[in-house]
Structure formats: structure tokens, C-alpha cells
Amino acid sequence: MAQKILVMGESGTGKTTSMRNFNPDELAIVNPVGKSLPFRGKFEMLNGETESRKIVKFMKDVVAKGKKKIVVDDFQYILSIPYMNRIKEAGWDKWNDFGANYFDIIDICDLLPDDVTVYYMTHTETLENGITTIKLIGKLLREKITIEGLFTTVLRTSVVDSQYYFLTQNSGKDTVKTPMGMFPSYAIDNDLKYVDDKIRNYYEIGEFKPNEEIEKADKEVSKDLVKPDNKGRRARNSTTEQTKEQEAKEPRRRSRSEVQDDNNKKVADYMEKSNKAIEEVAGDREEIPFEEVPDIKAPELETPPRRTRSEREADEQPKQADAPASRTRKSRETVQETKQEETQSVVSEESNTRRRRTR
């Protein structure tokens, strides 16, 4: 059984271009729309064909001639072109034909030799639940079968700051997946030749490169693109030198609790210094002249920032069992502001206490 790999991404994000490093004599291409390649090279190709019977025959023939790598480019057109050709046809039979035709081109991998790799390039769509998956038509294939479930390796293209990547890990909002430990990082160069070498080395199929060469290639293609959070939001890219310099200059945002703790420490230190200074001057006297009161500079307290959403949820979680159900967000904020005002008033209260001792 051949290794089958799914590569999904929007048009213009580097799917076809990722084939650029293959030698023409080692790769065959199924090109349903017959478009020109975005790079130079004379590859053996089947152009303008969407019928599974002819595509399957082509794949078998090129393997028989010694080809070990096949790309089915623009795989979504295997569905959409027949659909457009039969768009005026009524009835459900055509949908069954579309699904069977599409599935046959995947299913052929079960009959190909173990040392063959087949790559399916396809466009993406985002569903109502926010998950980005491969582009299909109708509900037949999506409801009856999860196409990504037929693949062990699903890569996704990405373009960030004019750099083209393959993403190797699920972001929580897509269907990307790869075997454990296969790829060195969340993002790698969009080099399908490297991906093929990596898969052959990982499974030890056919003529694969030794570990030393693969480890060297890992370092060259590995990128430090930041993975989105578990809600699928893209974090700020930290791959550019400009961004790294900016982050080094900008201080880290301190949390509300960190600022409050720092303020409390400043107040405690101020009170301790004030009491100690007054005791040294007063000695055994109960009262001292005002002019003898040591001048201890009051600390400058920092205004705590508003809590982030995660900080607010973390603060409120332990209190949910005891807090009344009618408590609102506004009341919780009011309590926090009141506590801060009480903390800041300690300095003025200490000053009043010192003045009373000098009367």
C-alpha cells in the first residue's frame, strides 16, 4: 500500500510550487485542469482529465515505469469540474458518481507498492463551526466520510510576511495532523521534496536518506513561526529580526496581581523605614517636635492595569462556590478597585499617625 499525503491550502499559497525541487524523472503529476506549472521543468503529466478510470490507469502506468512519487494537483477539481459539466442534470445519481469518482482516486493507493508516495493537493474551506478543512461539494462526502480520516499526514500551507510554509500540527481550528516526531517544528519550508525524504526516512520505505542527512535538512527547513492558541487565533509572528528587536525593547506587560503585590511591598517597606526612623529620633520620648521628624519619601505606587480575560477567569474560579449568583461583573470590579484604594491610603494614614505623635 502506497503512502498517501494530503496537502491543503488556499490558491496561491504554495501547493504546486512546493514540487519545485523534484527531478522531472522521479515525479509524475495528475493535472485535472491542465494549467502550467509555476516553475520550470518537464514532468510526466496527465492534463485535463477528471475521470477516475483514466487517472487510476495513469498512476499505475507511471509506477510500472519506475516512478515512486505522484502528485494529484488541484484535487478538488475532480469534483467541481464534473459537477459543472452536469449542473443542469436533475436527480441524485450524479452525486453518487461524483463521490465514487473522487474516492476511487484515493482508494488506488491500496493497490500501489509500499515504496510509492502519492500527494493530493486541494483547496480549503472554513465550515460554520470555524474549522478549516478540505474543499468539497455538496454534503455527500462530508456527511458520509471524513476525507482527512483516510490520511495519516495532512499538511496545510501558510504565508506569513511573504514567507511560504507547511504547517505540521493541528491549530485547534483545522484538520492538520502528522505522525509523532516526524517533523521538527510547527512550521517548515514548503518543500515537498523534503517532506518526501522525511516520510521515507520515518517509515524506512524504498531508498531513504540516512538520519544524518535528514537531521541536517531538519535544521535548514525548520521555522520558528508561532503556533496559534487553542482558539485558533494567530499569535504575533516572531520570526523576523525586526520583531525580535522590538520585543527586546518593549518590557513585558505585568499582570494586575504582580503590580498590586509590588505596591504592597513598597508600602510595607515605607512603613518599616518610617517607624524605625521615628523611633531612632524619639528615643524614650512620647512626643517629638515636628521639625525633628525624619523626611522619609513616600513610595510611588503604580496603577494596576485592568485584568486580562484569563486573569479575571483565574481570579473568579476559586470564588464561584461562595459568590452569590446575583453578583455581576461590575460589582466584582468595584470590589477590586476598593481594595486598591485602601492599599494606596495606607501611606497617607501613616503620615497622619506621624504627625499626631509630634503634637
Side-chain angles (χ1 to χ4, degrees):
M1 181 176 67
Q3 292 287 331
K4 51 183 181 286
I5 300 92
L6 186 65
V7 180
M8 62 180 186
E10 293 297 325
S11 179
T13 56
K15 295 187 301 298
T16 305
T17 306
S18 68
M19 297 184 279
R20 64 194 180 277
N21 290 328
F22 279 111
N23 293 323
D25 59 351
E26 66 177 336
L27 178 69
I29 302 174
V30 177
N31 189 355
V33 296
K35 68 179 183 182
S36 300
L37 296 176
F39 54 89
R40 294 180 179 179
K42 298 290 184 179
F43 292 86
E44 185 170 0
M45 301 177 69
L46 177 64
N47 290 312
E49 186 57 65
T50 59
E51 185 180 342
S52 63
R53 179 178 60 84
K54 296 180 180 179
I55 293 175
V56 167
K57 183 180 183 301
F58 172 79
M59 295 170 72
K60 289 181 177 179
D61 289 344
V62 295
V63 169
K65 291 187 292 186
K67 292 284 196 307
K68 301 297 183 182
K69 300 144 191 178
I70 303 172
V71 170
V72 182
D73 200 14
D74 288 327
F75 190 38
Q76 74 284 345
Y77 287 120
I78 301 295
L79 289 171
S80 57
I81 291 178
Y83 167 75
M84 294 303 298
N85 291 339
R86 299 172 62 179
I87 193 170
K88 296 182 179 180
E89 182 181 325
W92 293 99
D93 289 343
K94 66 179 181 180
W95 295 102
N96 294 331
D97 293 341
F98 299 155
N101 190 67
Y102 186 85
F103 188 77
D104 285 346
I105 300 173
I106 299 175
D107 201 35
I108 183 57
C109 290
D110 292 342
L111 303 178
L112 297 178
D114 294 343
D115 61 346
V116 173
T117 49
V118 183
Y119 298 88
Y120 297 84
M121 308 286 194
T122 185
H123 288 171
T124 57
E125 63 177 324
T126 301
L127 307 180
E128 293 181 357
N129 60 5
I131 300 296
T132 299
T133 180
I134 65 172
K135 191 176 186 66
L136 300 172
I137 61 172
K139 298 181 179 180
L140 176 64
L141 287 173
R142 196 172 301 285
E143 290 183 349
K144 301 303 181 183
I145 190 170
T146 301
I147 299 300
E148 289 93 331
L150 302 174
F151 296 82
T152 302
T153 301
V154 179
L155 302 174
R156 183 182 178 186
T157 57
S158 178
V159 183
V160 179
D161 293 341
S162 300
Q163 300 296 316
Y164 293 78
Y165 304 100
F166 280 148
L167 306 181
T168 67
Q169 300 172 20
N170 193 293
S171 69
K173 287 295 182 179
D174 57 31
T175 54
V176 174
K177 58 180 178 178
T178 56
M180 294 179 60
M182 176 176 284
F183 294 103
S185 60
Y186 167 68
I188 59 175
D189 280 340
N190 72 328
D191 184 352
L192 199 64
K193 180 65 167 63
Y194 161 77
V195 172
D196 190 78
D197 290 339
K198 191 70 175 176
I199 290 174
R200 292 178 180 279
N201 171 270
Y202 187 89
Y203 289 114
E204 297 184 348
I205 58 175
E207 297 180 0
F208 58 89
K209 291 184 177 181
N211 293 336
E212 293 76 13
E213 289 188 36
I214 292 296
E215 290 173 0
K216 181 179 179 181
D218 287 344
K219 295 179 181 180
E220 294 175 354
V221 305
S222 179
K223 303 300 176 183
D224 59 351
L225 186 68
V226 177
K227 184 178 179 180
D229 62 19
N230 58 5
K231 296 182 181 179
R233 295 175 297 191
R234 173 72 64 184
R236 184 174 58 178
N237 178 33
S238 62
T239 59
T240 63
E241 292 298 328
Q242 182 179 0
T243 303
K244 291 179 180 179
E245 293 177 0
Q246 183 178 358
E247 291 178 348
K249 294 178 181 178
E250 295 178 354
R252 180 183 68 85
R253 177 193 177 277
R254 297 202 301 165
S255 67
R256 182 182 180 88
S257 60
E258 288 177 329
V259 174
Q260 288 176 330
D261 290 343
D262 190 37
N263 285 345
N264 291 336
K265 185 177 183 303
K266 289 179 181 178
V267 171
D269 291 342
Y270 169 75
M271 293 174 62
E272 182 180 356
K273 291 179 181 179
S274 298
N275 291 335
K276 184 177 180 180
I278 293 175
E279 289 176 359
E280 291 178 353
V281 173
D284 296 332
R285 294 178 295 173
E286 294 184 359
E287 295 184 359
I288 59 174
F290 182 80
E291 58 271 15
E292 295 184 19
V293 176
D295 185 14
I296 305 297
K297 185 179 180 181
E300 296 182 2
L301 302 183
E302 182 179 349
T303 302
R306 294 181 61 86
R307 291 180 301 172
T308 63
R309 182 177 180 180
S310 59
E311 291 172 347
R312 188 165 58 250
E313 291 175 351
D315 290 342
E316 294 170 2
Q317 186 174 3
K319 303 175 183 178
Q320 289 179 353
D322 300 328
S326 60
R327 176 177 289 183
T328 63
R329 176 181 177 181
K330 182 177 180 181
S331 65
R332 289 193 297 268
E333 293 293 342
T334 302
V335 170
Q336 291 294 331
E337 292 174 358
T338 303
K339 290 183 178 180
Q340 180 58 28
E341 291 175 357
E342 292 174 353
T343 301
Q344 292 178 336
S345 66
V346 173
V347 175
S348 58
E349 291 178 0
E350 172 62 21
S351 299
N352 292 336
T353 300
R354 295 191 329 185
R355 284 196 292 270
R356 285 195 296 270
R357 290 192 61 182
T358 59
R359 291 174 184 171

